[in-house]
Amino acid sequence: MSRSRALPLAVALVIVMAGLFLASSLVKRLIGTTEASARVTQLTQASRRSDSMSPRYSESGYDITPLQRDRVATLAAKLDPEAYRITQKSGTEPAFCGNLLDNHKDGVYVCVVCGLPLFSSQNKFNSGTGWPSFYQPFDPQHIVRKVDTSLFMVRTEELCARCGSHLGHVFEDGPPPTGERHCLNSVALKFYEKSAALPPESQPVNAGGGSGKTELRSATGEVAYFAGGCFWGVQHYFKLGPGVLDAASGYMQGHVDHPTYRQVCTDTTGHAETVKVVFDPKRITYRRLLEAFFVMHDPTQLNRQGPDFGDQYRSGIWYVSDEQRREAEAYI
Ligand SMILES: [Zn+2]
């Protein structure tokens, strides 16, 4: 009885160890065969359709890179039916019914879907229309304006710049100094009082170390490259690291210059979705980045990561110095 149990256990251990060895070999091979200095120039920015998918930051220091459609769908799936109807189907809530109409507290109004700050209590006014109204947005770059010809009218629709959710409309009959009236649906917004802690998605990039804008422009730290599946997730996690000055998505290896995202998705260009991490070695070590990298993804999943299949999702570490190479090999 005990012997028949021991045998499957031994087999399972061999399989697990073989899997770990294969993954370790894969990463080592990537490190060992890649000349970083030559490859660094191949980190080309991704593009979605013909648009650039390189990270975008607003003047106020927030990440306004448009989210991919499946990411928006995942976030929107958490909304209640009314918020979903209004933000994803361009609906309008009944006048005088929204819960933020009479909110007079100090704070910030963020997108209910993606958390991007959209309006400030400092710019709120009573328009008498029955919808929360503001005379200017938190940052003009956080809002996208679009002509809306529905309901036999020509209006200007307002959408979240990051997730594309419908927010409301803007009219030119507002108070000074802008003369604008941003007319919002309460359910498209989430309010955080001034003293409340904001979630990471509602904070400027590198919030822990000053304004994102300043740090991005003075990002002169050390560079490291990691591939661990879909680059948006990897980029997101690295950005949370204290001492990480910037994290940007792009591609490594491959044999096509400046590939589009669609080209890479055909699995024929040979690229790996990769994140360039710029960090301050006095605040976070390369070793700490390695530790985080092996927590945020599973290198034993060959040429895939979770639901994403294809060799563009393979694991990889690209060193930029002999010291990084030694540390990475020692850690693996
Ligand atoms: Zn949004």
Side-chain angles (χ1 to χ4, degrees):
M1 186 68 181
S2 61
R3 185 173 173 165
S4 65
R5 275 187 186 169
L7 191 60
L9 181 62
V11 171
L13 274 173
V14 168
I15 291 171
V16 168
M17 289 177 73
L20 286 172
F21 174 76
L22 278 172
S24 168
S25 301
L26 169 72
V27 178
K28 277 182 178 169
R29 196 165 72 239
L30 286 172
I31 292 175
T33 58
T34 305
E35 284 300 326
S37 58
R39 293 298 185 193
V40 164
T41 57
Q42 289 197 5
L43 190 90
T44 50
Q45 297 295 348
S47 61
R48 180 167 53 187
R49 301 186 202 93
S50 58
D51 303 332
S52 169
M53 275 185 78
S54 56
R56 295 181 201 165
Y57 302 98
S58 63
E59 276 297 305
S60 53
Y62 291 79
D63 186 344
I64 52 169
T65 312
L67 297 178
Q68 288 186 304
R69 199 172 295 175
D70 56 352
R71 176 64 183 147
V72 175
T74 301
L75 293 171
K78 297 173 188 165
L79 300 173
D80 63 54
E82 180 68 348
Y84 187 90
R85 179 183 74 82
I86 286 168
T87 61
Q88 307 303 303
K89 303 289 182 187
S90 301
T92 299
E93 67 191 6
F96 299 103
C97 292
N99 66 334
L100 295 176
L101 175 63
D102 295 320
N103 180 31
H104 300 298
K105 293 175 182 168
D106 283 343
V108 64
Y109 296 81
V110 307
C111 173
V112 73
V113 178
C114 75
L116 183 66
L118 299 173
F119 293 93
S120 164
S121 60
Q122 293 175 346
N123 310 127
K124 196 168 187 280
F125 72 101
N126 183 3
S127 65
T129 59
W131 289 280
S133 301
F134 302 81
Y135 61 80
Q136 70 183 36
F138 181 91
D139 182 322
Q141 291 179 305
H142 292 195
I143 303 278
V144 169
R145 301 182 187 212
K146 188 177 148 192
V147 174
D148 174 10
T149 55
S150 64
L151 302 177
F152 311 108
M153 293 181 275
V154 178
R155 296 178 295 173
T156 303
E157 180 186 6
E158 292 197 301
L159 309 165
C160 171
R162 187 156 69 188
C163 73
S165 292
H166 171 76
L167 306 170
H169 292 85
V170 58
F171 302 92
E172 295 181 356
D173 56 6
T178 63
E180 292 188 335
R181 172 170 59 91
H182 298 260
C183 187
L184 281 301
N185 290 289
S186 287
V187 294
L189 303 171
K190 186 171 182 181
F191 177 72
Y192 284 97
E193 208 167 345
K194 201 173 177 181
S195 56
L198 292 170
E201 61 271 22
S202 299
Q203 295 182 27
V205 287
N206 303 312
S211 84
K213 189 167 63 173
T214 305
E215 288 219 357
L216 284 169
R217 287 179 182 169
S218 61
T220 54
E222 193 174 327
V223 171
Y225 294 92
F226 298 97
C230 177
F231 45 27
W232 297 119
V234 177
Q235 173 186 302
H236 171 75
Y237 286 120
F238 272 122
K239 277 189 174 178
L240 299 178
V244 171
L245 305 176
D246 192 18
S249 293
Y251 302 114
M252 273 294 193
Q253 299 184 306
H255 47 78
V256 176
D257 285 340
H258 309 296
T260 64
Y261 185 67
R262 187 168 285 180
Q263 278 178 301
V264 172
C265 287
T266 61
D267 239 10
T268 57
T269 69
H271 289 91
E273 294 200 6
T274 303
V275 172
K276 174 186 177 183
V277 179
V278 182
F279 64 102
D280 179 353
K282 293 191 188 113
R283 294 169 58 201
I284 190 166
T285 62
Y286 183 65
R287 165 80 182 201
R288 183 71 192 91
L289 295 178
L290 286 168
E291 289 169 358
F293 176 61
F294 281 94
V295 168
M296 71 178 75
H297 91 298
D298 177 3
T300 65
Q301 298 186 9
L302 187 63
N303 288 337
R304 61 168 283 208
Q305 200 59 219
D308 297 323
F309 286 83
D311 68 4
Q312 78 196 71
Y313 301 114
R314 63 185 180 271
S315 296
I317 298 172
W318 285 267
Y319 59 86
V320 298
S321 66
D322 288 341
E323 195 181 333
Q324 279 192 2
R325 177 181 180 169
R326 273 195 300 277
E327 277 200 72
E329 288 184 335
Y331 186 78
I332 293 167

